[in-house]
């Protein structure tokens, strides 16, 4: 500030209106560093006398101001400490104004910092010499300054942190680089602050005590200290030099917050992989029992070790399946699960397959065809789902050697045992009971679908939607039904039909149409009441000719329409057939058959969305979802023993899984099914089906995905009937998430490390969907004071005890006010809304940092 600026500032002060009781203005210009001692005589302010106060004229000055010239305005210039006890003018200063013109004083004045902190500001004067830094500092709006608060604010500005908080400062520094020479934030602290002060804070808050301090060893110190809180310091004896002797909980909370940050966690993950190598973590983990580290969530190798533990158990036939399942579900809520989710999912479904094998290791019992059919739809089908889900996971991470070993285990269970045993028994039963009449007692035949299910609805004046999904086998239908029941307002019932033979599209699709009879000519063409029924356009003509106010469309056409277009298209239509073919379109091509199970996942979403469109845009209330046939699919290449040669027959059509022929005779290794119960059959056609899962030897590729045969996977057709229920309607249940509640009744925390129990109040099921929450302690301002723990509430157990969660929390080591209210926050991760905010008091006494 130059002389002219000073004169303007002083003039503004002296020309302010007099306050009540004032007859003049007295201003003490305090210039402790004598910066303007030589300029004071040049200062001129209209109507104001200037007087210099020294340590020799205090009494005279008081006499001058109060006796000689009691009504004159004075500017009193001095470098004395006006707050000293032996100050003759102490009372005069109280009712006067103090003016500063030196840089430090101006900073103190502008920021409303007490002059007692002048030395602190002087120490960091270089920082305040920049307008942008000064503004950022001022924008913090700090009300109560201390030396610590000033230092925190300076470090926060230099590290571009939004609020003065050392946790954020430290993370910002470490995020930049672990090499001080490349770290811009660290260099800013060194240039405009004092890195020794930064390190003092690190030592005080996080217990990092080293003669030679580096950012790299600091990060190692933080993660190892945090890790020791999970596995115990006694298990990390070789790393004791990296474990804090005090404030260990601060390190854990710091690491936890960084690890769970939505974007900053990428740098954290990179650093922890480096630390794993530096400390040779695998050599340490191998000496620690899994139960000791299963809750740890610092290093990615923890998940690798758990994965290896489960895999080795499977490979060595240790049947601890319940333990493996609990471990996998436990890890879902951990930081690195996403990185290893494909392997975990593959492990999970391998475990489920092993459990199934354990339950049936004595063999699948022989029985009548209807017995095997019913056991399949009640239980056995799950193996098809496990196999499918395994490969969905496998395809996301099949470069891992471990995945390839699991694949061998899965193929041995599924292909060599389950499929071989189940369908061999089924073929034996079918040959004994079904080759002359293809039917089962109490099971609806596919060709009777329209007459027995749809026609009665239309006669009652009801509007009906029929979704026909090509190759949607039974186990896929079960998954869709479960999802519709859980996630829509309607209710979905599940039954089955026995498909026609051969189980092929050109016969299965016509079987679902309104008709009196079906026939196949000598060229393999299928007819419904004399009309060609092969292909979508022909089926559309049949539907629209048989039933007035009917329509047939492809699902992609509906998806392409907007709401208005859909309503216009289906206005006045009572019978709507919607054809969906994503599964078969992918599986039935040699080039894409390996993506069959990925196609199933997409198809499930498409069908679910179609039901929502029918409900929302078209006000549909009756929806039937079914299929023309199922399929067989195995991932491994087939052996020669999986194929069967063709006998010379008077055949009109030969495919991988069937032969249509004009003669009927016994052929070894094949079922010869009389088609008279299925089609008009003037040609006296017989379907020859390889037993079990065999394929006919033929030229060409496309042998892994097949249908047309008589396996349970091919002929058990799902029939879902979905009924919409609107809100308020009798029996309607709103879709809601399960609740996660705290069960502890005490609301006082006395240790910095404590456990709380939570309860999933409802089981996941019909109209009750899972909820994932993150839980932590916070103060009234919302500042997070503890680690953040995740609970995935997706348990479907009836027993309430199986829906409980015990969670461990660690508080920051800081001062807690026993009279203040703190809160346990339970936040829904999908919405970000706090569903619970539970008040607590925290009274740690003198105990703040123990190992438990």
């Amino acid at each position: 500030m130059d002389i002219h600026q000073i004169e303007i500032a002083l003039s503004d002060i002296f020309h302010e209106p007099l306050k009540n009781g004032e007859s003049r203005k007295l201003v003490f210009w305090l210039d402790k560093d004598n910066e303007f001692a030589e300029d004071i005589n040049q200062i001129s302010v209209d109507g104001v006398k200037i007087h210099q106060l020294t340590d020799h004229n205090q009494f005279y000055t008081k006499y001058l101001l109060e006796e000689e010239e009691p009504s004159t305005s004075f500017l009193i210039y001095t470098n004395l400490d006006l707050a000293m006890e032996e100050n003759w003018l102490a009372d005069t200063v109280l009712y006067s104004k103090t003016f500063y013109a030196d840089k430090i004083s101006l900073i103190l004045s502008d920021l409303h910092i007490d002059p007692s902190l002048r030395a602190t500001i002087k120490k960091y004067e270089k920082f305040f010499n920049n307008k942008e830094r000064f503004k950022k500092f001022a924008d913090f709006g700090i009300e109560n300054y201390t030396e610590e608060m000033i230092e925190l604010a300076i470090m926060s500005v230099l590290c571009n942190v939004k609020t003065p908080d050392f946790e954020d400062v430290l993370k910002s520094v470490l995020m930049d680089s672990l090499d001080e020479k490349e770290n811009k934030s660290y260099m800013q602290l060194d240039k405009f602050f004092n890195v020794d002060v930064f390190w003092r804070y690190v030592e005080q808050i996080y217990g990092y005590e080293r003669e030679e301090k580096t950012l790299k060893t600091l990060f190692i110190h933080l993660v190892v200290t945090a890790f020791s809180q999970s596995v115990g310091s006694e298990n990390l004896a070789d790393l004791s030099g990296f474990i804090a002797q005090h404030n260990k909980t601060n390190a854990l909370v710091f690491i936890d917050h960084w690890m769970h940050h939505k974007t900053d966690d990428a740098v954290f993950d990179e650093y922890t992989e480096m630390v794993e190598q530096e400390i040779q973590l695998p050599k340490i983990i191998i000496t620690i029992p899994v139960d000791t580290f299963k809750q740890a969530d610092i290093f990615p190798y923890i998940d690798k070790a758990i994965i290896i533990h489960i895999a080795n158990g499977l490979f060595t036939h240790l049947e601890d399946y319940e333990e493996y399942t609990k471990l996998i579900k436990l890890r879902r809520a951990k930081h690195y699960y996403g990185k290893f989710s494909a392997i975990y999912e593959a492990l999970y479904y391998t475990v489920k397959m092993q459990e199934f094998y354990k339950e049936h290791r004595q063999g699948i019992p022989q029985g009548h065809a209807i017995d095997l059919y019913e056991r399949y739809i009640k239980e056995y089908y799950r193996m098809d789902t496990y196999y499918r889900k395994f490969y969905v996971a496998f395809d996301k991470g099949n470069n891992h050697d471990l995945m390839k070993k699991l694949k061998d285990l899965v193929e041995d269970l599924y292909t060599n045992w389950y499929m071989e045993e189940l369908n061999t028994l089924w073929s034996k039963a079918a040959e004994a009971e079904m080759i002359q009449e293809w039917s089962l007692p109490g099971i609806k035949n596919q060709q009777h679908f329209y007459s027995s299910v749809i026609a009665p609805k239309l006669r009652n004046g009801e509007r009906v939607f029929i979704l026909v999904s090509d190759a949607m086998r039974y186990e896929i239908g079960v998954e869709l039904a479960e999802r519709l029941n859980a996630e829509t307002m309607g209710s979905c019932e599940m039954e089955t039909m026995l498909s026609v033979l051969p189980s092929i599209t050109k016969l299965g699709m016509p079987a679902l149409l309104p008709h009196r009879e079906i026939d196949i000519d000598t060229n393999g063409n299928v007819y419904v009441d004399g009309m060609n029924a092969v292909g979508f356009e022909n089926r559309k003509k049949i539907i629209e000719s048989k039933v007035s106010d009917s329509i047939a469309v492809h699902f992609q056409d509906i998806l392409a329409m907007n709401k208005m277009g859909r309503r216009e298209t289906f206005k006045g239509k009572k019978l709507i057939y919607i054809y969906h073919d994503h599964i078969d379109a992918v599986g039935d091509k040699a080039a894409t058959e390996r993506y069959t199970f990925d196609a199933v996942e997409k198809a499930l979403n498409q069908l679910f969305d179609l039901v929502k469109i029918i409900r929302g845009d078209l006000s549909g209330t009756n929806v039937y979802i079914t299929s023309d046939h199922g399929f067989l699919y195995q991932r491994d290449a087939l052996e020669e023993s999986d194929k069967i040669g063709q006998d010379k027959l008077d055949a009109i059509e030969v495919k991988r899984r069937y032969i249509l022929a004009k003669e009927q005779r016994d052929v070894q290794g094949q079922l010869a099914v009389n088609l008279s119960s299925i089609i008009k059959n003037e040609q006296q056609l017989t379907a020859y089906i390889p037993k079990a899962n065999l394929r006919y030897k033929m030229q060409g590729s496309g042998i892994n995905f097949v249908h047309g045969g008589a396996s349970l996977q091919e002929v058990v057709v799902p029939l879902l009937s979905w009924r919409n229920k609107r809100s308020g309607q009798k029996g309607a249940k709103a879709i809601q998430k399960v609740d996660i509640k705290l069960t502890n009744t005490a609301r006082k925390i006395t240790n910095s490390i404590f456990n709380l129990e939570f309860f999933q109040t409802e089981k996941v099921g019909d109209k009750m969907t899972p909820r994932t929450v993150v839980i932590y302690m916070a103060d009234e301002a919302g500042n997070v004071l503890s680690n953040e723990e995740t609970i995935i509430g997706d348990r479907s157990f009836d027993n309430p005890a199986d829906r409980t969660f015990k969670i461990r929390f660690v508080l920051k080591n800081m001062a807690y006010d026993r009279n203040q209210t703190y809160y346990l926050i339970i936040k829904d991760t999908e919405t970000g809304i706090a569903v619970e905010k539970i008040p607590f008091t925290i009274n740690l006494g003198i105990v703040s940092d123990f190992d438990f």
Side-chain angles (χ1 to χ4, degrees):
M1 185 177 284
D2 59 27
I3 297 299
H4 179 63
Q5 289 174 314
I6 292 173
E7 287 179 338
I8 293 173
L10 288 170
S11 180
D12 289 341
I13 293 171
F14 278 103
H15 287 90
E16 288 178 357
L18 294 173
K19 297 178 182 176
N20 289 337
E22 276 190 334
S23 60
R24 59 171 176 178
K25 292 286 185 182
L26 294 181
V27 176
F28 285 83
W29 178 356
L30 185 59
D31 182 15
K32 283 191 174 182
D33 297 324
N34 286 320
E35 291 186 38
F36 299 95
E38 296 180 0
D39 302 314
I40 186 62
N41 294 324
Q42 302 176 35
I43 298 293
S44 175
V45 181
D46 289 342
V48 176
K49 286 187 177 182
I50 298 174
H51 174 75
Q52 294 191 46
L53 173 66
T54 69
D55 55 358
H56 301 297
N57 68 351
Q58 292 182 52
F59 181 78
Y60 168 72
T61 302
K62 184 175 181 66
Y63 181 79
L64 170 68
L65 297 177
E66 296 184 6
E67 298 294 333
E68 288 189 3
E69 302 190 48
S71 60
T72 304
S73 292
F74 274 94
L75 172 65
I76 303 100
Y77 175 86
T78 186
N79 62 5
L80 299 180
D81 182 1
L82 298 178
M84 62 184 180
E85 292 183 7
E86 297 179 1
N87 179 10
W88 285 93
L89 295 164
D91 57 340
T92 308
V93 171
L94 286 175
Y95 66 80
S96 303
K97 188 175 183 65
T98 305
F99 174 76
Y100 303 94
D102 62 282
K103 292 178 182 178
I104 302 302
S105 297
L106 288 173
I107 292 170
L108 292 169
S109 177
D110 286 349
L111 295 174
H112 306 291
I113 299 175
D114 191 277
S116 63
L117 293 167
R118 180 185 183 86
T120 302
I121 298 299
K122 180 69 175 175
K123 192 190 314 181
Y124 305 118
E125 182 179 357
K126 192 174 183 180
F127 166 84
F128 291 102
N129 283 341
N130 177 278
K131 291 181 180 179
E132 184 177 349
R133 291 196 297 268
F134 184 91
K135 184 178 183 306
K136 288 181 178 179
F137 185 99
D139 286 346
F140 286 144
I142 299 168
E143 293 183 1
N144 299 310
Y145 283 100
T146 62
E147 181 174 6
E148 180 186 64
M149 181 54 69
I150 292 169
E151 290 173 340
L152 277 176
I154 292 172
M155 287 189 283
S156 298
V157 169
L158 293 174
C159 295
N160 202 29
V161 171
K162 293 181 180 179
T163 57
D165 184 277
F166 190 72
E167 180 177 314
D168 291 339
V169 167
L170 179 57
K171 189 177 78 169
S172 178
V173 171
L174 294 174
M175 282 276 296
D176 197 329
S177 172
L178 296 183
D179 184 342
E180 292 81 2
K181 296 178 181 177
E182 297 178 1
N183 191 308
K184 294 178 182 177
S185 295
Y186 189 83
M187 288 189 284
Q188 287 283 96
L189 291 172
D190 188 35
K191 185 174 182 180
F192 299 109
F193 185 59
N194 184 341
V195 290
D196 290 335
V197 175
F198 165 79
W199 287 116
R200 173 165 54 81
Y201 274 76
V202 170
E203 180 178 334
Q204 290 175 349
I205 299 173
Y206 298 106
Y208 175 73
E209 301 174 357
R210 282 174 175 262
E211 289 188 13
E212 185 178 343
K213 298 177 173 63
T214 68
L215 296 177
K216 181 177 179 179
T217 57
L218 168 59
F219 183 79
I220 297 173
H221 165 90
L222 290 167
V223 293
V224 171
T225 298
F227 185 49
S228 72
Q229 293 288 87
S230 299
V231 302
S233 301
E234 68 278 6
N235 290 308
L236 303 174
D238 292 342
L239 299 176
S240 58
F242 289 105
I243 299 175
Q245 297 303 305
H246 63 89
N247 290 354
K248 294 179 184 179
T249 58
N250 284 351
L252 188 147
V253 173
F254 174 82
I255 290 299
D256 182 83
H257 290 178
W258 187 354
M259 185 167 55
H260 289 104
H261 195 280
K262 290 181 179 179
T263 55
D264 294 349
D265 62 338
V267 175
F268 177 84
D269 294 352
E270 177 188 338
Y271 288 174
T272 51
E273 288 190 13
M274 173 273 295
V275 176
E276 281 184 352
Q277 297 178 20
E278 291 282 349
I279 66 175
Q280 297 184 342
L281 185 62
K283 292 183 179 179
I284 297 171
I285 290 297
I286 201 171
T287 65
I288 305 175
V290 170
D291 273 350
T292 301
F293 63 78
K294 67 182 181 183
Q295 291 281 3
D297 197 19
I298 305 293
F299 298 105
Y301 187 78
I302 298 299
D303 286 281
K304 292 180 183 178
I306 290 171
I307 287 167
I308 291 168
H309 168 76
I310 297 171
N312 284 336
L314 293 174
F315 296 144
T316 57
H317 307 293
L318 295 176
E319 298 178 343
D320 297 329
Y321 302 131
E322 185 177 356
E323 179 212 344
Y324 303 152
T325 300
K326 286 181 178 178
L327 275 173
I328 293 167
K329 290 187 175 181
L330 170 68
R331 298 309 296 181
R332 289 184 309 162
K334 302 300 183 180
H335 174 63
Y336 293 103
Y337 181 79
K339 182 176 182 178
F340 300 102
S341 60
I343 302 178
Y344 274 124
E345 288 289 299
L347 277 172
Y348 177 78
Y349 289 108
T350 306
V351 169
K352 300 305 288 184
M353 293 176 78
Q354 291 277 23
E355 279 185 322
F356 183 94
Y357 174 72
K358 182 181 180 181
E359 292 170 10
H360 301 90
R361 61 163 41 118
Q362 300 304 320
I364 295 173
Q366 176 65 60
H368 290 294
I370 186 61
D371 297 328
L372 283 167
Y373 185 98
E374 289 183 342
R375 287 203 295 267
Y376 176 76
I377 65 175
K378 290 177 182 177
E379 179 186 5
Y380 296 165
Y381 77 91
R382 297 185 188 279
M383 276 293 272
D384 297 319
T385 301
Y386 299 153
Y387 183 75
R388 170 167 62 87
K389 294 289 189 181
F390 169 83
Y391 272 107
V392 170
F394 178 84
D395 289 339
K396 294 175 183 176
N398 61 0
N399 289 328
H400 295 279
D401 289 338
L402 176 58
M403 284 288 222
K404 294 172 184 176
K405 291 180 180 180
L406 288 175
K407 176 177 177 288
D408 292 339
L409 197 60
V410 163
E411 285 294 339
D412 187 53
L413 279 173
Y414 183 78
T415 305
N416 299 334
W417 173 70
Y418 166 74
M419 289 294 287
E420 177 67 27
E421 186 161 329
L422 174 64
N423 281 312
T424 296
L425 293 173
W426 167 250
S427 294
K428 184 177 179 180
E431 184 174 35
E433 304 172 34
M434 301 174 66
I435 59 174
Q436 291 306 315
E437 182 177 351
W438 185 249
S439 65
L440 285 168
I443 303 300
K444 193 180 276 87
N445 284 91
Q446 188 179 33
Q447 62 269 31
H448 299 150
F449 164 74
Y450 183 84
S451 61
S452 64
V453 178
I454 304 303
K457 295 289 184 183
L458 294 178
R459 285 196 294 269
N460 288 336
E462 297 182 51
R463 188 186 193 202
V464 180
F465 291 82
I466 302 168
L467 305 186
V468 184
S469 182
D470 198 337
M472 183 182 72
R473 67 183 183 183
Y474 173 72
E475 55 97 6
I476 301 167
V478 172
E479 183 172 341
L480 179 60
E482 290 173 349
R483 185 174 174 189
L484 288 171
N485 271 325
E487 300 180 35
T488 71
M489 285 285 287
S491 63
C492 188
E493 295 181 0
M494 182 76 179
E495 57 181 312
T496 65
M497 300 186 293
L498 180 68
S499 85
V500 294
L501 274 186
S503 53
I504 53 177
T505 298
K506 71 177 181 180
L507 187 56
M509 289 293 187
L512 299 169
L513 298 175
H515 69 275
R516 292 187 301 276
E517 59 185 27
I518 305 172
D519 200 4
I520 302 176
D521 68 14
T522 55
N523 294 317
N525 293 315
V526 179
Y527 293 85
V528 166
D529 300 338
M531 302 174 67
N532 191 323
V534 178
F536 170 75
E537 292 300 330
N538 285 328
R539 294 196 297 273
K540 178 179 171 68
K541 290 177 184 177
I542 292 169
I543 293 167
E544 295 175 357
S545 67
K546 293 277 186 179
V547 181
S548 59
D549 298 328
S550 63
I551 188 173
V553 296
H554 196 273
F555 84 102
Q556 289 180 331
D557 295 332
I558 294 181
L559 295 181
M561 299 176 190
N562 58 25
K563 185 174 183 178
M564 189 66 69
R566 290 167 187 154
R567 290 192 170 182
E568 190 63 31
T569 299
F570 298 104
K571 186 178 181 180
K573 304 301 181 184
K574 294 295 185 182
L575 177 64
I576 299 100
Y577 273 79
I578 302 171
Y579 288 96
H580 174 270
D581 64 353
H582 187 66
I583 299 171
D584 197 70
V586 173
D588 217 19
K589 294 182 177 65
T592 57
E593 65 176 359
R594 69 170 281 108
Y595 304 110
T596 295
F597 291 151
D598 285 329
V600 170
E601 296 293 308
K602 185 174 182 180
L604 283 165
N605 290 329
Q606 291 170 341
L607 292 167
F608 182 82
D609 290 342
L610 276 172
V611 173
K612 289 202 298 183
I613 288 170
I614 291 169
R615 178 187 185 273
D617 293 0
L618 305 176
S619 301
T621 57
N622 293 318
V623 181
Y624 291 89
I625 309 169
T626 189
S627 181
D628 52 348
H629 57 76
F631 62 86
L632 289 177
Y633 176 75
Q634 70 178 69
R635 180 59 64 89
D636 265 5
L638 276 77
E639 305 289 341
E640 281 303 307
S641 59
D642 298 319
K643 304 170 190 175
I644 187 172
Q646 303 170 29
D647 279 38
K648 290 184 179 180
L649 295 164
D650 186 8
I652 65 170
E653 191 165 275
V654 179
K655 297 293 182 180
R656 293 281 187 192
R657 281 286 287 165
Y658 70 93
I659 295 174
L660 283 178
K662 295 181 185 179
E663 57 181 299
Q664 183 171 14
R665 59 185 173 87
D666 291 336
V667 179
Q668 187 177 4
Q670 300 172 56
L671 301 177
V673 180
N674 187 330
L675 296 184
S676 297
S677 62
I678 299 172
I679 63 175
K680 185 177 180 182
N681 207 16
E682 290 183 351
Q683 306 295 328
Q684 296 295 303
L685 296 178
T686 297
Y688 291 88
I689 310 292
K691 291 181 179 180
N693 314 308
L694 299 173
R695 279 81 154 162
Y696 286 122
K697 292 181 179 179
M698 296 177 65
Q699 292 295 320
S701 54
I703 192 171
N704 289 61
F705 176 95
V706 292
H707 55 87
S711 71
L712 288 165
Q713 286 78 9
E714 294 166 285
V715 301
V716 179
V717 172
L719 174 57
L720 289 68
S721 54
W722 182 84
R723 300 289 178 270
N724 182 38
K725 291 185 178 180
R726 302 198 176 277
S727 181
Q729 187 177 344
K730 185 178 179 181
K733 292 170 65 177
I735 303 161
Q736 56 183 328
K737 293 179 180 178
V738 299
D739 283 326
I740 306 295
K741 297 288 186 180
L742 175 68
T743 60
N744 302 72
T745 56
R747 295 291 183 267
K748 186 177 182 179
I749 298 170
T750 56
N751 285 312
S752 59
I753 302 175
F754 59 97
N755 293 312
L756 294 176
E757 286 195 355
F758 299 86
F759 176 53
Q760 180 186 313
T761 55
E762 308 87 0
K763 69 174 185 177
V764 169
D766 187 12
K767 305 298 178 285
M768 296 303 303
T769 60
R771 185 195 295 271
T772 300
V773 296
V774 61
I775 308 173
Y776 55 88
M777 293 298 301
D779 61 17
E780 290 184 336
N783 299 309
V784 181
L785 306 176
S786 72
N787 56 314
E788 300 177 21
E789 290 293 334
T790 299
I791 290 178
I792 301 174
D794 65 349
R795 297 184 179 179
S796 55
F797 305 116
D798 290 315
N799 186 357
D802 294 328
R803 302 198 303 270
T804 60
F805 305 83
K806 187 175 182 180
I807 305 297
R808 178 174 178 264
F809 292 94
V810 176
L811 289 173
K812 282 184 179 180
N813 191 5
M814 53 180 276
Y816 293 93
D817 186 344
R818 69 185 65 185
N819 298 314
Q820 184 177 333
T821 301
Y822 300 91
Y823 296 93
L824 181 79
I825 306 297
I826 305 177
K827 183 184 290 186
D828 187 297
T829 58
E830 180 185 18
T831 63
I833 295 172
V835 294
E836 292 277 359
K837 187 177 180 182
I838 304 167
F840 273 79
T841 59
I842 300 177
N843 183 6
L844 301 184
I846 60 172
V847 179
S848 61
D849 195 33
F850 280 153
D851 274 330
F852 285 90

